[in-house]
């Protein structure tokens, strides 16, 4: 039997990067996968790549109504949820002196508020013994240039996750943080690095990582599968860094 046979898994931001890699891995392991994201076309393409009856729901994690609608849909269609990977996130790099209120609010509404209310709305439909995985970042514990707001938003969800691990203990729901280091996904292009500067950027980042390279989405998917499955049945409240050792330097 596959690792996630019979499990229902929801991944926010599952139409790209780490979320898509996790969705593909979970589906390959037998899970019924549901992904969300804002871009319809990217959702449809991702659903086709995931295969095995994956479902895509369009919406914005900053909206509480979106989470309520997703929870109602999953409850009506699949009965319950076993795995919730709150993964959607955005990042803008800017020195604190230049950060606008809009930029601050955008990152906190997706990275922190979106995760908080997502878990608040999904927890009631989760089966006892389920797994919640929150995608954090090593930026929450290692100072990275221009990342103050992003780091704050990711630190917030680390604090949420530790509280939830206690609040949900009577139901046996485990809550863990998966903290990537730099991973080769679209988020890097979204940082505004021009294509001609991409190699130099990658080289500079790789030098900050003991393993000497960026991570691959599939490597984060492997760690997410561990946290989602019974392989981590006694792992609760941890912050699992998957960063090639970057936090050590
Ligand atoms: N890649 C890295 O180096 C790295 C490092 C540390 C942490 N992380 C974290 O890993 C997670 C995944 O990032 P990634 O690297 O895979 O980047 P990505 O390829 O840019 O994926 C981000 C995902 O989030 C979704 N998303 C963004 N805003 C959303 C919103 N308001 N509502 C719903 N969905 C939204 C995007 O879909 P739509 O655009 O369609 O909405 C997309 O699916 C994020 O939380 C990120 O902070 C990444």
């Amino acid at each position: 039997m596959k690792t996630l046979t019979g499990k229902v898994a929801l991944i926010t931001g599952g139409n790209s990067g780490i979320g898509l890699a996790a969705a593909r891995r979970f589906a390959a392991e037998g899970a019924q996968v549901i992904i969300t994201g804002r871009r319809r076309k990217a959702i449809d393409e991702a659903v086709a790549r995931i295969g095995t009856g994956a479902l895509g729901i369009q919406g914005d994690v900053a909206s509480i109504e979106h989470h309520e609608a997703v929870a109602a849909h999953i409850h009506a269609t699949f009965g319950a949820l076993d795995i919730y990977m709150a993964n959607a996130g955005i990042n803008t790099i800017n020195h604190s002196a230049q950060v606008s209120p809009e930029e601050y609010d955008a990152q906190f509404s997706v990275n922190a508020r979106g995760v908080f209310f997502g878990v608040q709305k999904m927890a009631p439909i989760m089966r006892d013994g389920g797994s919640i995985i929150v995608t954090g970042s090593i930026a929450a514990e290692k100072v990275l240039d221009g990342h103050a707001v992003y780091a704050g938003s990711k630190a917030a969800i680390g604090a949420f996750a530790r509280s939830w691990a206690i609040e949900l203990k009577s139901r046996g729901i485990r809550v863990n943080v998966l903290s990537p280091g730099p991973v080769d996904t679209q988020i890097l292009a979204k940082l505004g690095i021009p294509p001609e500067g991409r190699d130099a950027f990658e080289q500079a980042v790789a030098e900050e990582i003991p393993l000497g390279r960026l991570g691959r989405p599939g490597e984060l998917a492997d760690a997410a599968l561990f946290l989602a499955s019974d392989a981590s049945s006694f792992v609760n409240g941890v912050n699992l860094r998957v960063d090639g050792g970057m936090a050590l330097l």
Side-chain angles (χ1 to χ4, degrees), residues 13-19 36-39 59-62 87-90 110 135-137 150 154 180-183 185-188 190:
N15 60 8
S16 176
I18 293 166
T36 69
R38 290 164 303 174
R39 289 165 300 148
D60 187 337
V61 293
N87 166 79
I90 56 170
V110 176
T135 307
S137 169
Y150 178 73
K154 292 296 189 179
V183 181
T185 69
Q186 288 179 18
I187 211 169
L188 300 182
K190 292 172 192 168

Side-chain angles (χ1 to χ4, degrees), residues 165-188:
I166 302 303
E167 290 179 1
L168 296 170
K169 68 177 185 176
S170 64
R171 299 177 51 201
I173 295 176
R174 301 180 295 109
V175 187
N176 293 295
V177 180
L178 176 63
S179 289
V183 181
D184 191 1
T185 69
Q186 288 179 18
I187 211 169
L188 300 182

Side-chain angles (χ1 to χ4, degrees), residues 60-63 67 88 90 101-117 153:
D60 187 337
V61 293
S63 154
H67 294 299
I90 56 170
E102 293 75 22
E103 189 181 347
Y104 179 98
D105 288 345
Q107 288 189 84
F108 268 83
S109 13
V110 176
N111 299 350
R113 187 177 194 266
V115 171
F116 185 89
F117 287 103
S153 69

Side-chain angles (χ1 to χ4, degrees), residues 4-94:
L4 300 182
T5 297
K7 305 285 187 190
V8 179
L10 169 63
I11 303 172
T12 69
N15 60 8
S16 176
I18 293 166
L20 175 56
R24 296 181 75 191
R25 192 73 93 252
F26 290 4
E29 287 299 332
Q32 165 64 57
V33 168
I34 303 114
I35 60 164
T36 69
R38 290 164 303 174
R39 289 165 300 148
R40 181 79 256 172
K41 187 164 177 282
I43 292 173
D44 293 342
E45 286 167 3
V47 162
R49 285 182 72 188
I50 299 162
T52 65
L55 176 71
I57 303 176
Q58 187 178 19
D60 187 337
V61 293
S63 154
I64 294 171
E65 293 73 27
H66 164 67
H67 294 299
E68 287 170 343
V70 172
H73 189 79
I74 291 174
H75 188 246
T77 312
F78 305 108
L81 186 64
D82 298 285
I83 299 156
Y84 182 41
M85 183 167 174
N87 166 79
I90 56 170
N91 182 9
T92 57
I93 296 181
N94 215 345

